[in-house]
Amino acid sequence: MSGHSKWSGIKHKKAKIDAIRGRAFTKLIREVTVAARVGGGDPIGNPRLRLAIERAKAVNMPQDNIQRAIMKGTGELPGVSYEEYVYEGYGPGGVAVLLEVLTDNKNRTAPEFRKAFSKYGGNLGESGCVAWLFEKKGLIQVEAATVDEDRLLSVALEAGAEDVLRSDDTFEIITAPKDLDRVKESLAKEKIEIADGEVTMLPQTTVKLEGKQAQHMLQLMEALEDHDDVQNVYANFDIPEEIMAAVTG
């Protein structure tokens, strides 16, 4: 999971910068609204909404903005109707790419995604072409410098985690999606600081890339992440650290 993990770390650092420009707010407001529409406006009984609110607060979104987004989702306030779609395709070297999208105009987004894939040596595919290469899991990241490994293993596994892995300077705790909240709560009780925790799509296999293909793959990821309608981008690339650092800066 090294490629996925490294990109995940870059993505969350980038989100904090994007928040200054308001870009993160746009995506998060959409997610809060749709989560409330699908599962109701009470975060206690709606895990998706609860996670969306956590992410909104992490980038210092005002509570009023969050509440308005919830009320638009529940129909208490008028708002744009966003629909959820999944797009699939291939990046350079045959890397599998999965997009989770919230849009009010599917006829606009599909051509834009097709253009982005084509620009960086990939292509938009048919539904189902790569989804089977990913598995939905809970993923919690803890900075290795902040915790004793044996203690982390004990707490996480006792709380129901499936596995704990080391990736560079980060521990990755893998859970079933339904167990994510319970494991996060157990870590919090033990004063173990969480860098990030989310339900994600983990690749079951990876594709190694180097040189121009690696650069184009990372450029494609950034272009897709920057699109307002894209909530999440998942890919199964494995790119050397030095290339990742050079391209993403």
Side-chain angles (χ1 to χ4, degrees), residues 48-167:
R48 178 175 174 180
L49 178 59
R50 187 162 62 248
L51 183 57
I53 292 172
E54 285 179 12
R55 289 193 170 282
K57 288 181 176 178
V59 295
N60 299 316
M61 183 183 291
Q63 182 62 36
D64 285 350
N65 294 37
I66 296 172
Q67 192 58 41
R68 279 198 299 272
I70 293 172
M71 293 174 74
K72 287 178 181 179
T74 58
E76 296 170 78
L77 288 176
V80 177
S81 178
Y82 295 106
E83 298 298 327
E84 298 182 84
Y85 297 98
V86 173
Y87 289 88
E88 302 173 47
Y90 298 94
V95 168
V97 182
L98 191 67
L99 307 178
E100 293 179 344
V101 174
L102 293 178
T103 182
D104 61 346
N105 187 346
K106 186 181 181 183
N107 293 330
R108 181 194 71 239
T109 55
E112 290 174 352
F113 296 149
R114 189 171 289 109
K115 181 179 179 181
F117 273 91
S118 179
K119 180 178 180 180
Y120 296 108
N123 61 280
L124 195 62
E126 298 296 323
S127 177
C129 67
V130 301
W132 60 277
L133 290 166
F134 296 85
E135 188 174 11
K136 183 173 283 190
K137 291 289 184 182
L139 175 64
I140 301 168
Q141 298 190 17
V142 176
E143 292 183 10
T146 66
V147 66
D148 175 74
E149 182 173 3
D150 289 340
R151 179 166 172 259
L152 180 65
L153 278 166
S154 176
V155 173
L157 296 177
E158 188 173 327
E162 296 178 356
D163 203 357
V164 179
L165 308 171
R166 176 74 180 259
S167 177

